[in-house]
Amino acid sequence: MNTSSTPLAPERPLRLGTRRSPLAMAQAEETRERLCAAHGWGESMVEIVPVTASGDKILDRPLAEIGGKALWTKELDAWLFEGEIDFAVHSMKDVETLRPEQFCIAAVLPRADVRDVLVGAASIHAIPPGARVGTSAPRRAAQMLHARPDLKIVGFRGNVATRLAKLQADEADVTLLAAAGLQRLGETGVGTPLSEFEWLPAPAQGAIGIECLVASDDVRGWLSAIDDRATHQAVLAERALLAALGGNCHSPIAVLTTHHESSLTVRAAIYSPDGAERIEASETFAPADADGPKRLAHRLLSEAPESVTVHFSGE
């Protein structure tokens, strides 16, 4: 899809920045394929430029202790600022809620499977009593402890292969991975998917976002051709909910968005970190209704005890 103000093709290959991890590289390849197919370009018109993110270098501590989600984006942000790359690809669930105003999410690809996959047991009920659950995600830890308070949470970070290797090395008995990531890596036979209606996913899970500078009109125009409107609307709503809640890397929150013809239903749950408290609510609103996520956040926080609200800064 081209506009009169956007050239049909760039004068030089566009540079797509990405993390160097196998999953990030797979997401970059998908982005390049979709962009070139949309415009009829040869693959050489998009150059993939990988960087090793800080979050991929530090694997012995939870992200929340060492800088949060910015550890996934800061190197790519610097390259965008400096003009080393033209746009960057991100897993949207790993992008901090508040971003520099010079950047914009110009496109979001069609959402993949939003579910979590349980690895090491056939179901949550089937996990042996007192077993160790390997995860560093506050949401997954709180959800698991809410369902099975007898289980023990052990820290578990790294890419998909690293976490599967840690499980094989008996560092934990079970773990949880995103179905979308497994599918993008071709690991479709791993684990048991959990119903997204019973086990709500992370905000923006399964969504790939492409970010560029607001001032890069041509790049924004080219990227608009691969933007999936329904996914983009859902991601914006979920990120707006996070902002209204005042959530951070320590805040256990799960959310599922369902599309209707002219509205979204956002169902969310917030937890105390130990899983003892769980508050759920839902709200249906038009995608353009910026107050919809705020109303939902207010309902959740107004009904939650202090053991939950202390982990959120929203009003």
Side-chain angles (χ1 to χ4, degrees), residues 167-235:
L167 194 65
Q168 189 69 26
D170 197 36
E171 293 186 26
D173 300 300
V174 298
T175 191
L176 294 149
L177 297 168
L182 289 170
Q183 291 166 9
R184 287 172 179 141
L185 291 170
E187 300 280 358
T188 54
V190 174
T192 303
L194 302 176
S195 168
E196 68 270 35
F197 300 103
E198 299 175 8
W199 180 277
L200 301 181
Q205 185 153 314
I208 297 173
I210 302 100
E211 193 168 48
C212 69
L213 294 174
V214 172
S216 299
D217 292 336
D218 289 352
V219 176
R220 292 173 64 189
W222 289 316
L223 291 175
S224 68
I226 59 171
D227 183 48
D228 185 79
R229 185 181 181 189
T231 301
H232 205 149
Q233 289 173 340
V235 167

Side-chain angles (χ1 to χ4, degrees), residues 38-142:
H39 294 287
W41 300 342
E43 190 177 276
S44 62
M45 288 307 299
V46 178
E47 175 190 359
I48 293 177
V49 184
V51 63
T52 301
S54 298
D56 291 314
K57 299 174 186 176
I58 307 170
L59 301 177
D60 60 343
R61 285 168 288 168
L63 281 180
E65 294 181 4
I66 54 174
K69 291 182 177 181
L71 293 178
W72 298 130
T73 58
K74 69 176 186 178
E75 284 85 4
L76 292 173
D77 286 356
W79 281 4
L80 269 178
F81 272 127
E82 295 162 8
E84 296 294 325
I85 57 176
D86 299 295
F87 52 111
V89 61
H90 299 293
S91 292
M92 287 306 300
K93 74 180 180 67
D94 294 332
V95 177
E96 61 270 33
T97 308
L98 301 178
R99 299 289 288 138
E101 62 182 11
Q102 296 93 332
F103 298 155
C104 68
I105 301 297
V108 182
L109 302 189
R111 198 167 198 168
D113 195 330
V114 301
R115 295 176 296 176
D116 274 346
V117 172
L118 178 66
V119 185
S123 67
I124 293 174
H125 179 73
I127 300 173
R132 299 162 299 161
V133 180
T135 183
S136 293
R139 170 189 65 91
R140 287 172 173 156

Side-chain angles (χ1 to χ4, degrees), residues 250-269:
H250 297 278
S251 310
I253 174 172
V255 60
L256 178 68
T257 299
T258 304
H259 285 269
H260 311 288
E261 284 190 8
S262 58
S263 64
L264 305 173
T265 295
V266 181
R267 176 184 165 205

